[in-house]
Amino acid sequence: MSDAEKYSLNSQEVAQATYKLLEQRGVTIADIAELVHFLQAKYVPGLTIEDCNVHVEAVLSKREVQNAILTGIQLDILAEQKQLLQPLQAMIENDEGLYGCDEILALSIVNVYGSIGFTNFGYIDKVKPGILVRLNTKNGRDTHTFLDDIVGAIAASAASRLAHRNQAEREGVTTPPLD
Amino acid sequence: MSDAEKYSLNSQEVAQATYKLLEQRGVTIADIAELVHFLQAKYVPGLTIEDCNVHVEAVLSKREVQNAILTGIQLDILAEQKQLLQPLQAMIENDEGLYGCDEILALSIVNVYGSIGFTNFGYIDKVKPGILVRLNTKNGRDTHTFLDDIVGAIAASAASRLAHRNQAEREGVTTPPLD
Amino acid sequence: MSDAEKYSLNSQEVAQATYKLLEQRGVTIADIAELVHFLQAKYVPGLTIEDCNVHVEAVLSKREVQNAILTGIQLDILAEQKQLLQPLQAMIENDEGLYGCDEILALSIVNVYGSIGFTNFGYIDKVKPGILVRLNTKNGRDTHTFLDDIVGAIAASAASRLAHRNQAEREGVTTPPLD
Amino acid sequence: MSDAEKYSLNSQEVAQATYKLLEQRGVTIADIAELVHFLQAKYVPGLTIEDCNVHVEAVLSKREVQNAILTGIQLDILAEQKQLLQPLQAMIENDEGLYGCDEILALSIVNVYGSIGFTNFGYIDKVKPGILVRLNTKNGRDTHTFLDDIVGAIAASAASRLAHRNQAEREGVTTPPLD
């Protein structure tokens, strides 16, 4: 930005960068929707991947979520490019077990849809279904230390949103809580 | 609930109980709106109490927020009635400085509108403008150990929502993020 | 407390009440140590239940943890005695899925040993090994809505502490971080 | 790291890098101790800066705290060097109000000493005493978007630790909680 230009936030740009970065790192909406389906299928008879898609997209539309995604993926990319200072470089590159800033950013995503998502986040992060296996396979090239937690968190949040909406439907409420 | 009755969540009832309890404990929407105004007036020229009202009501419509309010006020009431076990009774009754479950519940409210509200929550909780002075005045009768933090958290959340909406307006975005 | 008596916090009393309440609710240190063993055995060759005990006791010695335990169990007990206001009574009694204050209190325990415990907490809360099955079995009499999350959180925290200490040992560090 | 070298965490190195980075960014232990003094002087008669130093150093000895410091300062440095992707670069460079990952990392520090620190963190972050003014003064060169929140969080945590220890002393407890 030149000195002459004044900064002003462009929310469209933030949203677009989020979608683009996820795609570049090999994560699609469908991948995340599949995780939501894994988490919720047994509670919601007839749940389709398309249903899950809607909730993933709603989660991704939140600024707080976008900020965490942009920041986490940025750190993954810089670690891949060996551009971080030591020992942070080594900790992120090796997904060090005692390094928890990835979980911290992920939790900030889960929080947006409330505490009922904590359990799903922890569960999925441990069991690693679907895309999470791939993100966790070390190939000596890609670093997804932040991304795998972030993807799990988006799925857990979407599952929370689905649970809330489902309840609203069951009660015949047509107007969901204001956002 | 009799054994014959099956439990099912009634969201209307949860929402109504929240509004009613706040009122019974002497806190109105207007009181909280005033706190939002205190926090945001200098950033938003021409901000009215009516504007603030809208955001307070949106925050109060969230299930996660309602749960925290119902739980916190319940504990305050039980402490007033000396129905808690010791030493919890004494800690809540005396708003013990090393007891932090009130801040914990309050933070779960702030989280719903993202981390930008933390600062406002801490600030208002310390400076205690408006209704917060009254809630913190010990009269030997009322216990508001949880309620004062909860009211501060609702105000901080409403301030966050206002900040997000204001940005959307500035950018001419007509459709806010899906909830 | 009579008007004449001035309140002052007695930390011993808080600690003792915590241990006593856990025991009364049927949870022993050994039960929680077993959960820690379940979580960490595959990472720590030769890990014994006795090793795990030490970490559970260290977690239980923290004030923040004690506060959450006292508050959560108190709410469980009051729910059993039908002393809570509706609809909070019904939500806690029925471990309502959209009620998340139990997870909130549990998370405040996990946080004390850092974010690396989130995953273990979520996992154990879902898989429900050992004592967690029993705490989750509805018998129409006992309410353990808060306690099951709290026990999982203590185990997850103890697992985090164990992981930190293990690393220190591996590096031959004799003085652990000051507390 | 060459393929031949196996990664293993060196805790000494993590600790030293933390101290060195803080110093390089112009923040001394004494600066943070002064903030602790600002927060606690009125509650602790005779409190000295030296007393505060001890607590700041204890907070800094925690791995979770070190991780957050290294990560936050790294992002500040990369923003100064214009090495981040847009729009993250612009948001961090301009300390965008709707970007909250700095508060998120800061909160992970506060959490380690429990929820009683939230209020102090928010308060100090708003009032900006001592070093916090300097960190927040834009000179068109330095970026301290993460560091100012981190410093406030360390001070708030040290204040919490001080409050806990003070209580222990008042009660004549010689053995503080195990860490």
Side-chain angles (χ1 to χ4, degrees):
Chain A
M1 198 175 337
S2 84
D3 289 358
E5 272 181 82
K6 212 174 148 286
Y7 164 76
S8 86
L9 179 62
N10 182 331
S11 300
Q12 279 303 90
E13 200 194 336
V14 175
Q16 281 160 7
T18 303
Y19 279 94
K20 206 176 121 198
L21 266 186
L22 280 175
E23 199 194 312
Q24 282 179 1
R25 307 295 290 178
V27 176
T28 65
I29 307 284
D31 291 327
I32 312 180
E34 206 188 283
L35 298 176
V36 181
H37 194 266
F38 169 85
L39 287 170
Q40 297 298 112
K42 61 178 154 295
Y43 307 115
V44 186
L47 182 69
T48 66
I49 293 284
E50 288 67 40
D51 296 334
C52 297
N53 266 329
V54 176
H55 297 287
V56 173
E57 286 183 356
V59 172
L60 290 175
S61 76
K62 293 268 187 179
R63 173 67 46 85
E64 187 86 0
V65 175
Q66 296 167 356
N67 290 337
I69 295 172
L70 293 179
T71 306
I73 293 183
Q74 174 72 83
L75 285 162
D76 280 346
I77 292 176
L78 289 160
E80 273 175 16
Q81 301 173 340
K82 321 274 180 196
Q83 287 195 46
L84 301 175
L85 296 166
Q86 289 295 6
L88 185 65
Q89 171 69 37
M91 289 198 291
I92 295 184
E93 209 178 325
N94 291 284
D95 205 352
E96 162 60 45
L98 300 185
Y99 178 80
C101 294
D102 40 349
E103 278 90 0
I104 291 289
L105 279 189
L107 201 71
S108 76
I109 292 175
V110 177
N111 274 332
V112 175
Y113 284 91
S115 52
I116 63 166
F118 295 158
T119 304
N120 275 336
F121 167 64
Y123 178 63
I124 215 173
D125 200 55
K126 200 94 178 176
V127 172
K128 303 206 183 300
I131 178 104
L132 294 180
V133 200
R134 185 173 71 65
L135 292 180
N136 275 281
T137 309
K138 316 281 179 238
N139 60 9
R141 206 178 51 235
D142 304 333
T143 300
H144 296 307
T145 297
F146 279 87
L147 185 56
D148 71 330
D149 289 326
I150 282 172
V151 166
I154 299 168
S157 297
S160 296
R161 186 180 194 270
L162 191 156
H164 278 291
R165 295 297 156 123
N166 238 43
Q167 176 65 25
E169 248 172 59
R170 214 174 301 138
E171 296 185 39
V173 180
T174 48
T175 51
L178 300 166
D179 177 32
Chain B
M1 194 173 342
S2 84
D3 289 358
E5 270 180 84
K6 209 174 149 288
Y7 164 76
S8 84
L9 178 63
N10 182 333
S11 300
Q12 280 303 90
E13 200 194 335
V14 175
Q16 280 160 8
T18 304
Y19 279 94
K20 205 175 123 201
L21 267 186
L22 280 174
E23 199 193 313
Q24 282 179 3
R25 306 294 290 179
V27 176
T28 65
I29 307 284
D31 290 329
I32 312 181
E34 206 188 284
L35 297 176
V36 181
H37 195 266
F38 168 85
L39 287 170
Q40 296 299 111
K42 60 176 157 296
Y43 307 115
V44 185
L47 183 71
T48 66
I49 292 286
E50 288 69 37
D51 296 334
C52 297
N53 266 329
V54 175
H55 298 287
V56 172
E57 287 183 356
V59 171
L60 290 174
S61 77
K62 294 267 186 179
R63 174 66 47 83
E64 186 87 0
V65 173
Q66 295 167 356
N67 289 337
I69 295 172
L70 293 179
T71 307
I73 293 181
Q74 175 70 86
L75 286 162
D76 280 346
I77 292 176
L78 289 159
E80 274 174 17
Q81 300 172 341
K82 320 271 180 199
Q83 286 195 45
L84 302 175
L85 297 166
Q86 289 296 8
L88 186 64
Q89 171 69 36
M91 289 199 290
I92 295 183
E93 210 178 327
N94 291 282
D95 205 354
E96 163 60 45
L98 301 185
Y99 178 80
C101 294
D102 40 349
E103 278 91 359
I104 291 289
L105 279 189
L107 201 72
S108 76
I109 293 175
V110 176
N111 274 332
V112 176
Y113 284 92
S115 52
I116 65 167
F118 294 158
T119 304
N120 276 335
F121 167 63
Y123 178 63
I124 215 173
D125 200 55
K126 200 95 179 176
V127 171
K128 302 206 183 299
I131 178 106
L132 295 180
V133 200
R134 185 173 71 65
L135 292 180
N136 274 280
T137 310
K138 317 281 178 238
N139 60 8
R141 207 178 52 236
D142 304 333
T143 299
H144 296 307
T145 297
F146 279 87
L147 186 56
D148 71 330
D149 289 326
I150 282 171
V151 166
I154 299 168
S157 296
S160 297
R161 187 180 193 271
L162 191 155
H164 278 290
R165 294 295 155 126
N166 239 42
Q167 175 66 28
E169 248 173 57
R170 213 174 302 138
E171 297 185 37
V173 181
T174 48
T175 50
L178 302 164
D179 178 32
Chain C
M1 201 174 335
S2 85
D3 288 359
E5 272 181 83
K6 211 175 149 286
Y7 164 76
S8 83
L9 178 63
N10 182 331
S11 300
Q12 280 303 89
E13 200 193 337
V14 175
Q16 280 160 8
T18 304
Y19 279 93
K20 206 175 121 200
L21 266 186
L22 279 175
E23 199 193 312
Q24 283 179 3
R25 305 296 288 178
V27 176
T28 65
I29 308 285
D31 291 328
I32 312 181
E34 204 187 287
L35 297 176
V36 180
H37 195 266
F38 169 85
L39 286 170
Q40 296 299 111
K42 61 177 155 295
Y43 306 115
V44 186
L47 184 70
T48 66
I49 292 285
E50 288 69 37
D51 296 333
C52 297
N53 266 330
V54 176
H55 298 288
V56 173
E57 287 183 357
V59 171
L60 291 175
S61 76
K62 295 266 186 180
R63 173 67 47 83
E64 187 87 0
V65 174
Q66 295 167 356
N67 289 338
I69 295 172
L70 294 179
T71 307
I73 293 183
Q74 175 70 86
L75 286 162
D76 280 347
I77 293 175
L78 289 159
E80 273 174 15
Q81 300 172 341
K82 320 272 180 198
Q83 287 194 47
L84 301 175
L85 297 166
Q86 289 295 7
L88 185 65
Q89 171 68 38
M91 288 198 290
I92 296 183
E93 208 178 326
N94 291 282
D95 205 354
E96 163 60 46
L98 300 185
Y99 178 79
C101 293
D102 40 350
E103 279 90 358
I104 291 288
L105 279 188
L107 201 70
S108 76
I109 292 176
V110 177
N111 273 332
V112 175
Y113 285 91
S115 51
I116 64 165
F118 294 159
T119 303
N120 276 335
F121 168 63
Y123 178 63
I124 215 173
D125 200 55
K126 200 94 178 178
V127 172
K128 302 204 184 303
I131 178 105
L132 295 179
V133 199
R134 184 173 70 67
L135 292 179
N136 274 281
T137 310
K138 317 280 178 238
N139 59 9
R141 205 179 53 235
D142 305 331
T143 300
H144 296 306
T145 297
F146 280 86
L147 185 56
D148 72 330
D149 289 326
I150 281 171
V151 166
I154 299 168
S157 297
S160 296
R161 188 180 192 270
L162 192 155
H164 278 290
R165 295 294 156 126
N166 237 43
Q167 174 66 27
E169 248 173 59
R170 213 174 303 138
E171 297 185 37
V173 182
T174 48
T175 51
L178 301 165
D179 176 33
Chain D
M1 197 171 342
S2 84
D3 288 359
E5 273 180 81
K6 213 175 148 283
Y7 164 76
S8 84
L9 178 62
N10 182 332
S11 300
Q12 280 303 90
E13 200 193 339
V14 175
Q16 281 160 8
T18 305
Y19 278 93
K20 204 175 122 199
L21 265 186
L22 280 174
E23 200 194 311
Q24 282 179 1
R25 307 296 288 178
V27 176
T28 66
I29 308 285
D31 290 329
I32 312 180
E34 206 188 283
L35 297 177
V36 181
H37 195 265
F38 169 86
L39 287 170
Q40 296 299 113
K42 59 177 158 295
Y43 307 115
V44 185
L47 183 69
T48 65
I49 292 286
E50 287 69 37
D51 296 335
C52 297
N53 267 330
V54 176
H55 298 287
V56 173
E57 286 183 358
V59 172
L60 290 175
S61 76
K62 294 267 188 179
R63 174 65 47 83
E64 187 87 359
V65 175
Q66 295 167 356
N67 290 337
I69 295 173
L70 293 179
T71 307
I73 294 183
Q74 175 70 85
L75 286 162
D76 281 347
I77 292 176
L78 289 160
E80 274 175 15
Q81 300 173 340
K82 320 273 180 197
Q83 287 195 45
L84 302 174
L85 297 165
Q86 290 295 7
L88 185 65
Q89 171 69 37
M91 289 199 289
I92 295 184
E93 209 177 327
N94 291 282
D95 205 354
E96 163 61 44
L98 300 185
Y99 178 79
C101 294
D102 41 350
E103 278 90 0
I104 292 288
L105 279 189
L107 202 71
S108 77
I109 292 175
V110 176
N111 274 333
V112 175
Y113 285 90
S115 53
I116 64 166
F118 294 159
T119 305
N120 276 334
F121 168 64
Y123 178 62
I124 215 173
D125 200 55
K126 200 94 177 176
V127 172
K128 303 205 183 299
I131 178 105
L132 295 179
V133 200
R134 184 172 71 66
L135 293 179
N136 275 280
T137 310
K138 316 281 178 237
N139 60 10
R141 208 178 51 235
D142 304 333
T143 300
H144 296 307
T145 297
F146 280 85
L147 185 57
D148 72 331
D149 289 326
I150 281 172
V151 166
I154 299 168
S157 297
S160 297
R161 188 180 192 270
L162 192 156
H164 278 290
R165 295 294 156 125
N166 239 42
Q167 175 65 27
E169 249 171 57
R170 214 175 301 138
E171 296 185 38
V173 180
T174 48
T175 50
L178 301 165
D179 177 31

